Amino acid sequence: MGSKERIQRLKEENRINILEAAMQIVKEEGWQALSMRKIAEIIEYTAPMIYEYFTNKEALLSALAAQGYLQLAKKMCDAKERHAEPTQQLEAMWLAYWDFAFAEKELYQLMFGVGTQCCEQQKSFGGSNVHSKMVSEVIQEIMKDKQPSADILCQKYFTFWSVIHGLISINLVNEGLLGESNNQQILKDAIQGITRSLKD
Amino acid sequence: MGSKERIQRLKEENRINILEAAMQIVKEEGWQALSMRKIAEIIEYTAPMIYEYFTNKEALLSALAAQGYLQLAKKMCDAKERHAEPTQQLEAMWLAYWDFAFAEKELYQLMFGVGTQCCEQQKSFGGSNVHSKMVSEVIQEIMKDKQPSADILCQKYFTFWSVIHGLISINLVNEGLLGESNNQQILKDAIQGITRSLKD
DNA sequence: GATGTTTGCCTAACATTGTTAAATAACTAA
DNA sequence: TTAGTTATTTAACAATGTTAGGCAAACATC
C-alpha cells in the first residue's frame, strides 16, 4: 500500500513547514525572537513535536543554513552562466553573493555568523568612530596631493576596514580555517594594495 | 565626611568587579555561558544586585564594548606614534587592529557583532566550500598563464571573500551606515582592484 | 540616645526559554 | 474487534532575565 509513501510525504511536509515557520518568525521579529513554541504555534502543533524532526534547536538552525548555502550556490552559479568571459563571471558571481546577502540577510547572518544578538549601541555610540577618525586622518595625509573629497576618504577608509574586518571575521567564525602565514600574506597584500591605490 | 567618597569608591569597585567577572566567564566558557547569576556568584553577591549597577544585561554588554573601544583606540594610537611616515603609520594601525581582534577576540566579537551564537557546523559542513570551489575555478582560469600554486589561489579567493564579507557585515550590523552609492563604489573598486592583481 | 529615613542587598517569585518523560490519542494490522 | 505501533500532547524540569517586597544596617534629625 502506498500509504507509507503518503505518510513519508506528510512528514517531509511537516519538516518544511517547520523551517518555513522559523524563517517567517525570524524575518518578522529577528533571530532573538525565534523560539520552539512560536514555531509550533504557527504550524499548529506543540513544541515537543518539533523534536521528532530536529534533534534540537541548533540542528534546526543548521538545516536552515544548509538551505541558505544551496540558494547562494545556485544564485552564484546562475550569475556565472550569464557570462562567458572569466573576469566578468567573477564580478557577476560576487555581485550575486552581495545581492543574496541583502535579499536574505537573516539567512546570511546565520550562515556566516554575522552578529545577530549583541548590543544595539553601535549606531548610537558610533562604535567604530573612535578609530575611524584616527585612520581617516592618516589616509588624508597620504592623499593630500589629490585633495580627496570627504566621500572618497570615507570610501577608502571603509575599503580598508572591510577587508580587515572580513578577514578577522572569517578567522573567528571558522577557527583556524586559514593558516597563519596565509593570513599574514593576505593582510599585508591587502593593506599595501589599497595604500598603493591611495597614491596613484 | 569622606565616607561618601569611600562609598562612591566601593560602588565603582563593584562595577568594575562585575565587568571583570563577566569577562572572566566569557573567556573561559564563551558568550553563550554568560548569565547574571554566574556573574553574581563570582563576585559573591546575588543576581539582582547587578541591576543596581546596570539596568539590564544589554547595558552590561554595552559597558564591556565601550571598554573594548577604548582599548582598541589606545592600541591603534600607540601604533601610530611609533612611526613618522603616514604609510607606515597606516599599516601599523591596521596591524594593531588585527592584533587586538585576536588578543581580545571575545571583546572583538561583541564590539563588531561577529557571530557569537549560531551553528557549529561551518567547520564540519564546510559551509563556504560550496561556493569557494566555484569561485576558485574562475580565479584559476583568469590566472592560468601564471600557473598559480594552490596557496596563491586560496589567498586570492580569501582576499575577495574578506572584502566582500567584511563590507556586508559592516552594513548588516550598523544598518545603513554607508550610503548605497558608497557601497557600490567600494564593492566594484575592490572587485576590479583584486581582479587586476590577478592578471599582472 | 531614640526615631524616622534612606541605602544595600537578599529572598521569592514570574515569565520565558530549551528540552525530556510519560500519558494519551490515532492509526495500522490481524 | 483487538493488539500494537506511531503521532502528538500534557506536564514537568532546569536555566534564563528581571521585578517586587522585605530586612537590616547606616545615616540623619530631633
Side-chain angles (χ1 to χ4, degrees), chain B residues 3-197:
Chain B
S3 68
K4 281 231 170 113
E5 285 159 24
R6 191 169 47 242
I7 285 172
Q8 200 58 31
R9 225 176 306 137
L10 281 183
K11 284 201 82 169
E12 196 49 35
E13 209 171 296
N14 274 341
R15 209 186 115 93
I16 292 172
N17 286 338
I18 291 171
L19 294 176
E20 279 181 358
M23 280 313 295
Q24 181 187 325
I25 294 168
V26 170
K27 285 188 178 171
E28 284 170 4
E29 313 177 54
W31 283 107
Q32 95 291 2
L34 182 65
S35 83
M36 302 303 252
R37 286 177 173 85
K38 271 188 201 161
I39 295 174
E41 198 178 350
I42 290 182
I43 60 173
E44 298 183 290
Y45 281 98
T46 51
M49 176 269 202
I50 301 175
Y51 290 83
E52 301 276 323
Y53 296 83
F54 300 96
T55 60
N56 54 28
K57 194 181 184 183
E58 186 168 325
L60 197 158
L61 296 184
S62 285
L64 285 177
Q67 282 190 161
Y69 289 121
L70 281 179
Q71 280 183 48
L72 174 59
K74 174 148 183 11
K75 291 212 175 174
M76 291 181 78
C77 194
D78 290 353
K80 180 183 173 189
E81 284 172 0
R82 271 196 289 278
H83 297 85
E85 214 265 307
T87 304
Q88 288 183 330
Q89 286 181 334
L90 194 60
E91 176 169 332
M93 286 165 87
W94 285 122
L95 289 180
Y97 183 101
W98 175 270
D99 289 338
F100 173 83
F102 291 96
E104 304 287 340
K105 68 176 185 179
E106 296 83 10
L107 266 186
Y108 190 89
Q109 292 182 138
L110 177 67
M111 292 158 63
F112 300 110
V114 178
T116 71
Q117 50 168 11
C118 44
C119 27
E120 290 297 314
Q121 98 253 310
Q122 269 102 330
K123 305 149 202 168
S124 50
F125 178 28
S128 58
N129 272 334
V130 187
H131 69 269
S132 85
K133 256 193 189 166
M134 213 160 50
V135 172
S136 296
E137 273 175 30
V138 179
I139 294 178
Q140 188 160 30
E141 177 65 23
I142 296 179
M143 294 180 81
K144 64 171 182 284
D145 296 341
K146 308 178 67 174
Q147 300 278 355
S149 69
D151 248 28
I152 295 285
L153 219 57
C154 174
Q155 281 172 23
K156 295 299 182 184
Y157 162 69
F158 273 102
T159 306
F160 272 113
W161 193 22
S162 294
V163 66
I164 291 162
H165 173 66
L167 195 52
I168 289 170
S169 299
I170 290 170
N171 272 280
L172 288 181
V173 172
N174 334 19
E175 290 179 58
L177 173 68
L178 265 67
E180 187 59 35
S181 66
N182 273 332
N183 274 329
Q184 292 299 327
Q185 194 68 45
I186 297 172
L187 183 62
K188 288 227 168 188
D189 276 4
I191 292 177
Q192 284 165 12
I194 305 171
T195 304
R196 208 173 309 127
S197 88

Side-chain angles (χ1 to χ4, degrees), chain A residues 62 73 87 94 97 108 111 113 115-117 121-122 125 130 155 158 161-162 164-165 167 178 182 185 199, chain B residues 62 69 73 87 94 97 108 111 113 115-117 121-122 130 155 158 161-162 164-165 167 178 182 185 199:
Chain A
S62 287
T87 304
W94 284 122
Y97 182 101
Y108 190 90
M111 292 159 63
T116 70
Q117 52 168 9
Q121 98 254 308
Q122 268 103 328
F125 178 28
V130 187
Q155 282 172 23
F158 274 102
W161 192 23
S162 294
I164 291 162
H165 173 66
L167 194 53
L178 265 69
N182 272 334
Q185 195 67 46
K199 293 180 178 171
Chain B
S62 285
Y69 289 121
T87 304
W94 285 122
Y97 183 101
Y108 190 89
M111 292 158 63
T116 71
Q117 50 168 11
Q121 98 253 310
Q122 269 102 330
V130 187
Q155 281 172 23
F158 273 102
W161 193 22
S162 294
I164 291 162
H165 173 66
L167 195 52
L178 265 67
N182 273 332
Q185 194 68 45
K199 293 180 179 171

Side-chain angles (χ1 to χ4, degrees), chain A residues 109-190:
Chain A
Q109 292 182 138
L110 177 67
M111 292 159 63
F112 300 108
V114 178
T116 70
Q117 52 168 9
C118 46
C119 28
E120 289 296 314
Q121 98 254 308
Q122 268 103 328
K123 306 149 200 165
S124 51
F125 178 28
S128 58
N129 272 334
V130 187
H131 69 268
S132 84
K133 256 193 188 167
M134 214 159 49
V135 173
S136 296
E137 272 176 30
V138 179
I139 294 178
Q140 188 161 29
E141 178 64 24
I142 297 178
M143 295 181 80
K144 65 172 182 283
D145 295 343
K146 308 178 68 174
Q147 299 278 356
S149 69
D151 250 27
I152 295 284
L153 221 56
C154 174
Q155 282 172 23
K156 295 299 182 183
Y157 163 69
F158 274 102
T159 306
F160 273 113
W161 192 23
S162 294
V163 66
I164 291 162
H165 173 66
L167 194 53
I168 289 170
S169 300
I170 290 170
N171 272 278
L172 289 181
V173 172
N174 333 19
E175 290 180 54
L177 172 67
L178 265 69
E180 187 59 35
S181 66
N182 272 334
N183 274 328
Q184 291 300 326
Q185 195 67 46
I186 297 172
L187 184 61
K188 288 227 169 189
D189 275 5

